[in-house]
Amino acid sequence: MIRKKIVAGNWKMHTDLKEALALASEIIDEIREESPHVILFPPYPYARTIFRLLNDQSPIKLGAQNVHHEKYGAFTGEVSAPMLKSIGVDYVIVGHSERRAYFGETDDLLLEKMNTVLDNDMTPVYCCGEPLEEREAGTHEIYIRQQLEKSVLRLSPDRLEKLIIAYEPVWAIGTGKTASPEQAQSMHAFIRDTIANHFTESESEMIPILYGGSVKPGNAKEIFNQKDVDGGLIGGASLSPEQFTAIIKSFS
Ligand code: PGA
């Protein structure tokens, strides 16, 4: 089964408008037809402007870093899935570890968010990953299985074809510590098996699983070469056009 290869850039709460446009333009200039699928996750205020820079044929797609689980209503300051869809967003990150840690997002809520994203014909990029204590205690697989049981495994099977998963060990995010290619492969295979055991092997085989956590030009190739790693969700290095495009070119 040939799964989509994807490199996604999560800009988090960085850049002003001018910087965001410059960054997007430099990335657009480097992307070729044969490049993997590229998704940019800029801050909300620049999403529409960046969408206008991309043309329909562009292999670069627009994503949002978060969404509210309700479709509309009196939720001051929040952004809904229909709003995102209406400005050209195709992908939404759901359950980044920063949202879990700083905004108290639970897997029950994340299941609702995934369903709202799917109801609006967009693709959720569901993030899972264990904290350092779980890795050190050797309980990382149990931890990830629990995250999946409360979220992805409760989706209806017909929704899986639009799902992307990102495995992002919390201890590797923004720390400069990367999971080794073997650690990444072993967790990606574990996630795929867990999904196959609950649904079917063919359903599990079609889900792209991205690795995230201190991916840089120097380690991307080895990580992306692993059998169950279908690309990366890149934070820090996605703010540098040189580094991000070098990571995109690591798929060769
Ligand atoms: P990082 O972030 O590449 O800066 O570690 C990854 C992420 O948070 O998605």
Side-chain angles (χ1 to χ4, degrees):
M1 143 71 70
I2 309 284
R3 284 182 295 269
K4 235 189 256 173
K5 300 289 180 203
I6 300 166
V7 178
N10 173 12
W11 297 357
K12 307 192 180 182
M13 201 171 73
H14 294 294
T15 69
D16 61 19
L17 177 60
K18 203 166 150 216
E19 290 162 346
L21 286 174
L23 179 53
S25 306
E26 288 194 57
I27 295 166
I28 291 167
D29 287 348
E30 288 292 321
I31 299 300
R32 304 283 165 266
E33 245 178 70
E34 66 283 5
S35 299
H37 208 71
V38 175
I39 313 169
L40 300 181
F41 292 92
Y44 284 143
Y46 324 135
R48 181 68 184 162
T49 319
I50 288 175
F51 182 71
R52 290 213 179 96
L53 285 184
L54 310 169
N55 64 45
D56 279 353
Q57 308 312 318
S58 174
I60 305 184
K61 301 291 173 208
L62 183 65
Q65 298 174 19
N66 184 33
V67 67
H68 192 270
H69 59 286
E70 294 288 350
K71 291 189 174 63
Y72 55 85
F75 301 104
T76 301
E78 291 295 323
V79 174
S80 73
M83 291 174 190
L84 294 174
K85 181 70 189 173
S86 75
I87 63 159
V89 167
D90 283 324
Y91 296 85
V92 182
I93 297 177
V94 172
H96 190 281
S97 61
E98 288 152 15
R99 299 232 36 109
R100 294 173 187 259
Y102 307 138
F103 302 95
E105 295 195 357
T106 61
D107 273 297
D108 285 332
L109 175 72
L110 301 178
L111 177 65
E112 286 192 58
K113 289 194 180 201
M114 277 196 282
N115 277 318
T116 307
V117 169
L118 289 159
D119 288 344
N120 285 278
D121 200 24
M122 297 180 289
T123 298
V125 180
Y126 171 81
C127 300
C128 57
E130 78 285 359
L132 185 61
E133 311 82 79
E134 302 284 341
R135 172 62 63 170
E136 285 176 347
T139 48
H140 43 287
E141 290 190 348
I142 298 170
Y143 188 89
I144 298 294
R145 187 185 302 117
Q146 285 169 350
Q147 286 188 324
L148 295 173
E149 275 168 358
K150 290 189 209 140
S151 55
V152 169
L153 302 191
R154 286 163 67 199
L155 286 171
S156 87
D158 58 312
R159 311 214 99 176
L160 296 182
E161 69 183 286
K162 275 210 103 185
L163 176 68
I164 296 174
I165 293 179
Y167 169 61
E168 300 206 304
V170 178
W171 48 271
I173 296 179
T175 58
K177 280 191 202 159
T178 325
S180 67
E182 296 72 29
Q183 283 173 323
Q185 168 55 27
S186 145
M187 286 310 283
H188 284 224
F190 175 77
I191 291 168
R192 209 177 289 293
D193 284 350
T194 305
I195 294 171
N197 290 338
H198 185 86
F199 295 104
T200 64
E201 197 168 324
S202 60
E203 282 163 331
S204 153
E205 277 295 315
M206 69 192 175
I207 300 175
I209 307 180
L210 313 182
Y211 170 79
S214 298
V215 176
K216 301 278 180 276
N219 57 25
K221 201 178 181 95
E222 256 199 301
I223 296 175
F224 294 170
N225 264 337
Q226 304 299 312
K227 177 172 160 288
D228 286 289
V229 178
D230 304 303
L233 180 54
I234 321 298
S238 73
L239 294 169
S240 149
E242 295 76 24
Q243 290 194 33
F244 190 60
T245 53
I247 291 171
I248 293 169
K249 289 173 189 163
S250 306
F251 268 122
S252 53

